[in-house]
Amino acid sequence: MLTKFLITALVIACCWAMVKRSKGQKIAKPTADVGQSLIRKYMLTLALGLLLAASAVYLGWSWHDNNQVVTVTIVSPNDADSAVYRVKKKDLSTTEIVTVDGLRIRLSNQERIIIASSEQ
């Protein structure tokens, strides 16, 4: 996730540098061309701002979703036992879970888990 963000930021920085470098040649332009270049400049800034805002919203939402606490019920096929734990979504795995209290539970292939959202 962080890698995608860094690569996106690198591409944006390279594009920004190319735009700045291409403006190094100053030639007298008609006023219509100046107006169009200002519009392009503001459109590029707006597009980059929207891209950064969308990236920030996506990162924030994924962080919020991964830190949601869910209730996990583990049902053993051999016994009639079942155990209920509170786990963050990011700590769920196919082989083990880590509870909110820090308890690490390894799951077998025969155990069945039921995941339900916790009411807070």
Side-chain angles (χ1 to χ4, degrees):
M1 177 77 82
L2 182 62
T3 308
K4 290 179 187 178
F5 181 72
L6 292 176
I7 290 173
T8 303
L10 180 65
V11 168
I12 291 170
C14 289
C15 291
W16 192 271
M18 287 175 47
V19 168
K20 290 292 184 180
R21 187 174 17 157
S22 68
K23 291 186 177 184
Q25 303 162 347
K26 297 290 181 179
I27 299 173
K29 298 180 184 178
T31 57
D33 290 344
V34 172
Q36 286 181 354
S37 68
L38 282 175
I39 290 173
R40 284 189 196 125
K41 176 182 172 182
Y42 288 126
M43 292 298 279
L44 178 65
T45 305
L46 178 67
L48 290 175
L50 288 174
L51 181 65
L52 287 174
S55 297
V57 167
Y58 176 75
L59 286 172
W61 179 255
S62 67
W63 176 85
H64 174 68
D65 189 49
N66 284 336
N67 285 311
Q68 290 282 326
V69 177
V70 294
T71 302
V72 175
T73 305
I74 300 175
V75 180
S76 175
N78 298 333
D79 304 328
D81 283 344
S82 65
V84 178
Y85 301 100
R86 290 174 36 104
V87 179
K88 290 183 180 180
K89 279 187 180 180
K90 68 178 179 180
D91 294 331
L92 286 172
S93 168
T94 57
T95 58
E96 73 177 6
I97 61 173
V98 180
T99 65
V100 175
D101 300 327
L103 182 64
R104 188 175 298 266
I105 301 167
R106 280 190 246 143
L107 303 170
S108 71
N109 291 336
Q110 289 93 21
E111 290 178 328
R112 186 172 57 122
I113 63 170
I114 302 169
I115 302 170
S117 63
S118 295
E119 308 264 338
Q120 292 183 0

